[in-house]
Amino acid sequence: MDDPGLPERHFRNSGIPTVTDERLRQVSPLRRALVRPELGAICGAILVFVFFFMIAGDSGMFGPEGVQNWTVVSAQFAIIAVGACLLMIAGEFDLSVGSMIGFTGIVVAILSVQWGVPTWAAILIAFALSMAIGALNGILVIRTGLPSFIVSLAFLYILRGLTIWLSILTTRQTIIGGVRDAAEGDWLAALFGGVIFKGFFQWLGDIGVIDTFSRGTRAGQPVVEGIPMLVVWAIALIIFGHILLTRTKFGNWIFAAGGDAQAARYVGVPVNRVKILMFMFTAFCASVFAICQVMEFGSAAADRGLLKEFEAIICVVIGGALLTGGYGSVVGAALGALIFGVVQQGLFFSGAESSLFRVFLGTILIMAVILNTYIRRLITGERG
Amino acid sequence: MTETQPIIEMRDIEKHFGPVIALNGVSFDIRAGECHCLLGDNGAGKSTFIKTMSGVHKPNAGEILFEGKPLKFDSPRDAMEAGIATVYQDLAMIPLMSVTRNFWMGREPEFRFGPLRFIDFKKANRITMEEMQRMGIHLREPEQAVGTLSGGERQTVAIARAVHFGAKVLILDEPTSALGVRQTSNVLATIDRVRKEGIGVVFITHNVRHAHAVGDRFTVLNRGKTLGTAARGEISAEELQDMMAGGQELAELEGSLGGTV
Ligand SMILES: Nc1ncnc2c1ncn2[C@@H]1O[C@H](COP(=O)(O)OP(=O)(O)OP(=O)(O)O)[C@@H](O)[C@H]1O
Ligand SMILES: [Mg+2]
């Protein structure tokens, strides 16, 4: 039967009762607390810590050096995961992150070591170049309407090839050393290498909280010198990304661009600009990673960053983001990076076969995706 | 309905897509505080027509008068700024985002913190709750995802949003076509509230009963042409139904429509 329509009287009555759906009230606070993107990552992080505390608790993994060890590795993952996370929420992928890492490193090395450009200028030029390439990536995706998966896959190859070619062309080899010497005393390079809070850690060493070296040139110095700049960058990027995403107008547009680009455009969200900016931000993060690594090793290599794009994406997915865009969390991605780092180093500390790391990765990825799909159903109330 | 100046008047609008003549001289107007129903079978040109009204398509011929002055919209944005809000059935809302985030999308209220600006969620949530209340829907919480709302509630969020941002004309493209009986009456009740606030509502539907429940005037489109406009009380639901079905008994209808065919 057809809908009977509404009786006239009903409309003319000013005190129309408001519609309440009593079924909605039965949602438990527990379920509400559970339905958040970070849930899986929080549980995962706790599990991983408990696990390694049990099997590797006495191996030094949770001593000062051990902590520094997995913190640095996690921070590396976190830096690229923040970029990948925002981009994925905006509905796009960037598979060229790994190649971008190699590219930025080589650009800095060629400019500063080979051409004698001051390191600060080399770093700025490298950032400008990588972000321009990120923008090009984004513009191509927007203009062609092709999936970013394909466009950035092309860039994965183009950039890697270009990097190796550039490196061989200028130095006849794929590794360029001497970057640290060139960067000596450079103000900008100092932001990417070295440590902060040296004094505090020296004091911790002096009072015996942290072990100190007993022999050699560094006798009396604490085994952990300070907080590496890499970790500072990671924390800064996580805080920036989290606030941008959850607290600002632009963050709302990131969700909207990935959630439903057409609906977002219709209400005036500049979807194209948002997506292109996110490609640029991903490139920026890759460059931060690359420059920190170059400053740490003192050299750049054309093959750096291999597979990093996938590791970043895995962190983001473990962190609860949906591969289809429109949903996710920077904090979740950071926890994903932490899980990643702790497991990788934990297996090392517990003396396990390092190849098991990949087995673990694949397994946890599948589990995360299944959990995310389930959470998504809870949120959207997808019926069927 | 007193004779007031129409907010929008569309005169002899024609729209061609290559060889397809989607609209072949359609005239239509909408006044403040009325609900003008646009009826027509599939492919009659209803969506095409309201898209020319909301700035998506430019008409090949004909003129659009906005508050008495000729006007050309270059984009949907222009039309929105002028106060014409359109709620398309399929792309009104983003299900994964909260009601508040959807409601304010593109026009988020902000507060300043030094040089930084953040979304004012307290204000945004409060106003969202109030506006939804006004449309007769009690939200559990403004942070709940739109995906958890029913189809009718989603339509209502979109309508409440348009009203809040000062729409003078609200165009609803088949808002009830996917809804059940109860949900439909909720949306129809919402249309009634909106109309009472002095907004002109263009209500597109296939369903004569839905139209008849809220409409003040009815215009039937058929194959790109208007079959005529009738005011409430001048035409019965059965007659409208017949007209939509193809207008076989056009001669008979001509009488009942008061010679406007
Ligand atoms: N962009 C376009 N390009 C070519 N033809 C189009 C385009 N848009 C609409 N048409 C044609 O114009 C005619 C009217 O279409 P329209 O979508 O306006 O119908 P409608 O009345 O909204 O139908 P429905 O009730 O099914 O939504 C159809 O024949 C359609 O094929
Ligand atoms: Mg249509």
Side-chain angles (χ1 to χ4, degrees), chain B residues 46-47 173-174:
Chain B
K46 304 182 298 292
S47 297
D173 194 355
E174 308 203 14

Side-chain angles (χ1 to χ4, degrees), chain B residues 42-43 45-48 50-51 173-174 204 206:
Chain B
N42 294 111
K46 304 182 298 292
S47 297
T48 309
I50 57 119
K51 277 179 184 161
D173 194 355
E174 308 203 14
I204 297 175
H206 277 135

Side-chain angles (χ1 to χ4, degrees), chain B residues 109-127:
Chain B
E110 295 183 304
F111 68 87
R112 281 175 169 282
F113 183 80
L116 308 172
R117 279 181 297 169
F118 299 101
I119 297 183
D120 189 345
F121 275 110
K122 241 168 89 182
K123 178 177 165 194
N125 284 337
R126 181 174 50 77
I127 294 178

Side-chain angles (χ1 to χ4, degrees), chain A residues 18-21 24-25, chain B residues 98-100 103 124-134 136-146 148-150 153-154 156-157 160:
Chain A
T18 49
V19 186
T20 42
D21 192 340
L24 283 178
R25 300 200 178 277
Chain B
S98 74
V99 175
T100 299
F103 190 97
N125 284 337
R126 181 174 50 77
I127 294 178
T128 306
M129 288 299 259
E130 283 170 12
E131 292 290 337
M132 289 303 287
Q133 199 103 337
R134 222 148 63 100
I137 295 207
H138 270 304
L139 287 182
R140 179 159 43 86
E141 48 175 3
E143 281 98 2
Q144 81 184 92
V146 161
T148 61
L149 300 179
S150 69
E153 287 168 328
R154 275 183 226 195
T156 309
V157 178

Side-chain angles (χ1 to χ4, degrees), chain A residues 11 19 246-247 252 266 379-380, chain B residues 86 101 119 136 147-148 196:
Chain A
F11 282 113
V19 186
T246 59
R247 297 274 131 214
N252 208 33
Y266 174 65
I379 297 169
T380 58
Chain B
T86 311
R101 282 179 178 273
I119 297 183
T148 61
K196 286 203 185 108

Side-chain angles (χ1 to χ4, degrees), chain A residues 301-350:
Chain A
D303 63 352
R304 291 256 169 86
L306 228 52
L307 289 182
K308 284 292 168 209
E309 53 281 330
F310 292 109
E311 293 171 354
I313 289 172
I314 294 172
C315 290
V316 175
V317 172
I318 293 174
L322 290 177
L323 289 159
T324 43
Y327 187 72
S329 144
V330 172
V331 172
L335 286 170
L338 182 66
I339 293 175
F340 222 128
V342 168
V343 172
Q344 185 176 325
Q345 297 314 106
L347 289 176
F348 168 76
F349 274 101
S350 56

